[in-house]
Amino acid sequence: MDQAGFRKSFSTTEHMHTAALLIEKAQEWNSELWIAAVDYAKAFDSVEHASLWNALSSQGVPSGYIRLLKLIYAGQVGKVITDTSSKQFSILRGVRQGDPLSTLLFNAMMESIFRSLKIKWNPSKVGLEMGAVERLTNLRFADDVLLLTDSKKRMLSMLEDLSTESAKHGLHLHPDKSKVITNFHGAGRLKVLNMSIEILDPHTSLKYLGRKLCMNGLHDEELNSRIRAAWATFTRHRQELTNKKYPLRCRLRLFEATVGATVLYGCEAWTLKLDQQKRLRTTQRKMLRMILGMKRRVPKYEGEDRNTDGTETASEDTDTSEDSLEPWSDFLKRATRAAEDRLAATNQEEWITLWRRRQWRWAGKLTRPSIDKWLRHASNWYPPAHGRSGVYRVQARPLKRWSNDFQDFMVQYGLDGSWEQLAKNEEEWAKYESCFVKWASDKC
C-alpha cells in the first residue's frame, strides 16, 4: 500500500527499503529516477474539517461515526493570549493533538487527496512502471510523502498536481523543506507553480523517515549518518555508561537499548561491503573499550597489582611513556577478547551479528503475501527500456545488491534453487538463520 503510517503490521522499514532498492537498481541499470520528498507546512494543524468529513464518507465510513466525530469537533474555539487577549474565534481546521484518532483521520485525508490524483495520473502514466498495470507514484508515512517518477517533466507535473489538490483541503507544500533528488540532473531549482523547490546534487542526501537517501553513495551516506547518531547517543549517556559504580551488566544493557538501537535503525535495508562492515564492528568495539575502561598496560613492577579492568597500578616513578606501553596491536586484541567475553556473558550480540539476523528475518518476510506490495515489486523490479539512451547495465564491476549475500550463502551451503524459494518455507528459512549469521559474520 502507498500509506504505511499508523497501520497494523507496517513500519518505516517497508518504505525505506523500497526507496533504497529503487535507487540501487536505477544506478545499476543507468535508468533515470526522480524522487521528491514532500513536506507540508503545519500539516496536522491545517486539515479543513469539512474536507475531512467528505473524505471519510467517500471511503465508506458509516454516517453514524462521522456524526459522532462532527460533534467531538463542533464548537471548538480559540483565543490568542499575549499581554492582552484577542477576540474568540472558531476553529474549523486541524486535528486534535494527542487524540489517538487524529493520525487515522489525517491518513483518510491524504488517501482522499491521492485517490483524486491517481484518477488524473493513471492515463498520463506518471510514476514508475512496476508491472503490466502497476505504477508506483508515491510512498506515504502519514504526512511524509515521496513522489517517484522517471523524468523531470513528469516530476514537475506531479508536484503541481499535488500542490493544487492539497490546497483544496487546506494543506500547502513547504517549498524550503521539500527536496528533489535525481541521478540525471545536477543541482538546481524546480519551478512549481508559485514555488521554487531545490534539486539536490546526486551526492547530496535528503532524509526520509530518518534514513538518508541520495543517488551516489547511498549506503555510505546512511552508515555515516547512523554512526554519527550512535556517537551522539553514546555521548549523552557517557556518564552512566562509563561509571563503574553501576554494574557492568546494567551498563551494557543500557548501551544496547540506546546506542545499539540508534545505530541499527532500519538496518534491514542496508547493503554493506566488507570495509563498511568492519567500520561498524570497529565503532562498537571502541565504545565497549570506553565502557570497560580498558587502557594499554604498563610493565608490571615488583609489588604492584593489576586492576580488574586490565590496567596497572604503578608507582609514581613508573615510566608510562609511549615506548613503555604494550603495543597497540596487543592492546586491541586483548580489548576485543574482553569485549566479546562481556557481551557473551550478558547474552548480547555484536552489531554485525544483530544486523545479519534482522536482515535474514526481513528477507524471509519479504517473500510472504503479507508484505507491502511495493516492496515486493521493488525487489523484483528492473527499469524498462526508455529515455534518451535507453536502459543498459553500467559496464563496470557489478554493484553489490541487497540480496547478493543470500544467494552466495545458498551456493556455499550447496542449497538448490533461489533464496526466495527457500524463504517461502518459514520453517526451513528459520532453520538456516544461525548458519547464515555465522557465515556472514566470519567474512567480516
Side-chain angles (χ1 to χ4, degrees):
M1 298 294 288
D2 303 342
Q3 178 64 262
F6 309 108
R7 298 182 60 206
K8 185 178 180 180
S9 302
F10 283 82
S11 67
T12 58
T13 308
E14 279 90 352
H15 282 358
M16 290 192 296
H17 195 187
T18 299
L21 286 173
L22 294 173
I23 292 174
E24 282 183 6
K25 294 187 177 183
Q27 183 181 11
E28 179 181 358
W29 291 91
N30 194 45
S31 174
E32 189 168 359
L33 177 63
W34 288 72
I35 299 178
V38 175
D39 187 274
Y40 285 105
K42 299 180 180 179
F44 283 82
D45 296 329
S46 303
V47 176
E48 293 182 353
H49 294 166
S51 296
L52 182 56
W53 313 140
N54 291 334
L56 293 174
S57 178
S58 67
Q59 292 169 47
V61 176
S63 58
Y65 287 117
I66 298 176
R67 286 196 299 270
L68 179 60
L69 288 168
K70 284 182 178 181
L71 289 173
I72 293 174
Y73 276 79
Q76 293 187 98
V77 295
K79 184 184 292 186
V80 177
I81 301 176
T82 55
D83 52 337
T84 60
S85 298
S86 70
K87 291 183 179 180
Q88 189 170 279
F89 54 88
S90 299
I91 298 176
L92 302 176
R93 61 174 62 202
V95 291
R96 299 163 67 94
Q97 294 186 14
D99 188 341
L101 276 177
S102 294
T103 54
L104 300 179
L105 294 175
F106 187 84
N107 278 357
M109 184 76 267
M110 294 296 290
E111 180 65 21
S112 179
I113 291 172
F114 279 90
R115 283 186 182 184
S116 299
L117 289 172
K118 284 185 177 181
I119 294 174
K120 181 176 181 180
W121 286 349
N122 286 339
S124 57
K125 296 184 177 180
V126 299
L128 299 175
E129 184 180 328
M130 305 294 284
V133 294
E134 297 278 10
R135 298 192 74 87
L136 172 59
T137 59
N138 71 96
L139 296 172
R140 306 193 304 276
F141 196 96
D143 62 328
D144 290 309
V145 180
L146 287 187
L147 297 182
L148 306 103
T149 193
D150 52 13
S151 72
K152 180 180 180 180
K153 181 179 179 181
R154 287 174 173 168
M155 177 54 71
L156 177 59
S157 173
M158 292 174 74
L159 284 168
E160 289 177 343
D161 292 341
L162 177 60
S163 179
T164 302
E165 187 65 29
S166 298
K168 296 177 182 177
H169 305 277
L171 297 174
H172 300 279
L173 272 59
H174 196 307
D176 295 330
K177 294 185 178 180
S178 298
K179 305 292 181 183
V180 175
I181 57 173
T182 178
N183 55 351
F184 267 64
H185 196 285
R189 311 290 298 188
L190 200 60
K191 186 67 174 177
V192 180
L193 301 177
N194 60 341
M195 300 177 292
S196 179
I197 296 179
E198 184 180 7
I199 302 175
L200 301 177
D201 180 89
H203 292 88
T204 305
S205 63
L206 58 81
K207 183 171 282 190
Y208 177 66
L209 302 178
R211 179 184 174 125
K212 291 295 187 78
L213 296 177
C214 63
M215 290 298 175
N216 291 335
L218 171 67
H219 297 291
D220 269 328
E221 185 69 21
E222 173 61 6
L223 181 62
N224 291 340
S225 175
R226 297 262 52 91
I227 289 178
R228 285 195 298 269
W231 275 114
T233 304
F234 184 89
T235 301
R236 283 197 298 273
H237 297 281
R238 182 168 181 168
Q239 185 174 354
E240 293 79 14
L241 290 171
T242 59
N243 192 334
K244 294 187 178 181
K245 292 181 179 179
Y246 302 120
L248 180 59
R249 178 182 294 272
C250 294
R251 287 187 281 140
L252 289 177
R253 289 180 62 187
L254 176 63
F255 176 71
E256 179 185 24
T258 56
V259 183
T262 299
V263 77
L264 294 176
Y265 169 72
C267 66
E268 295 88 344
W270 290 355
T271 303
L272 301 184
K273 294 178 286 189
L274 284 178
D275 61 324
Q276 295 168 324
Q277 296 175 38
K278 290 176 180 177
R279 185 182 171 204
L280 184 65
R281 173 173 278 171
T282 299
T283 300
Q284 183 184 22
R285 288 175 174 174
K286 184 174 182 179
M287 291 179 176
L288 287 172
R289 288 199 299 271
M290 296 170 70
I291 293 173
L292 295 176
M294 299 192 70
K295 301 177 181 178
R296 293 168 67 188
R297 286 174 174 169
V298 296
K300 184 173 177 61
Y301 291 87
E302 185 176 355
E304 294 172 345
D305 296 321
R306 181 166 295 166
N307 297 330
T308 57
D309 64 358
T311 62
E312 303 287 355
T313 304
S315 60
E316 293 183 0
D317 59 348
T318 299
D319 181 9
T320 58
S321 63
E322 180 72 19
D323 293 339
S324 70
L325 299 175
E326 68 178 316
W328 270 106
S329 58
D330 292 347
F331 166 68
L332 292 176
K333 290 177 182 178
R334 179 171 61 85
T336 297
R337 287 195 299 269
E340 291 175 346
D341 290 344
R342 294 295 187 180
L343 287 176
T346 54
N347 295 318
Q348 296 183 43
E349 295 180 308
E350 284 191 290
W351 290 344
I352 288 289
T353 303
L354 285 170
W355 163 53
R356 289 300 193 179
R357 196 176 300 284
R358 293 187 192 180
Q359 191 184 40
W360 182 262
R361 293 174 182 177
W362 182 253
K365 183 180 177 182
L366 193 148
T367 63
R368 313 282 153 69
S370 59
I371 195 64
D372 174 61
K373 72 172 183 178
W374 292 128
L375 177 55
R376 189 164 58 248
H377 284 328
S379 64
N380 299 314
W381 179 69
Y382 291 95
H386 66 81
R388 293 172 296 177
S389 56
V391 173
Y392 58 88
R393 200 166 191 171
V394 177
Q395 298 300 309
R397 183 175 182 179
L399 298 172
K400 183 173 182 179
R401 297 179 180 176
W402 178 80
S403 60
N404 280 161
D405 286 333
F406 304 130
Q407 201 59 49
D408 291 345
F409 170 78
M410 297 281 290
V411 173
Q412 183 73 21
Y413 272 72
L415 300 173
D416 297 329
S418 67
W419 70 268
E420 292 98 330
Q421 292 173 324
L422 180 64
K424 289 177 181 178
N425 187 324
E426 293 189 46
E427 291 185 4
E428 284 294 304
W429 190 250
K431 185 173 71 175
Y432 284 103
E433 178 182 313
S434 298
C435 298
F436 171 77
V437 169
K438 184 179 185 307
W439 171 82
S441 299
D442 287 345
K443 294 199 306 178
C444 178

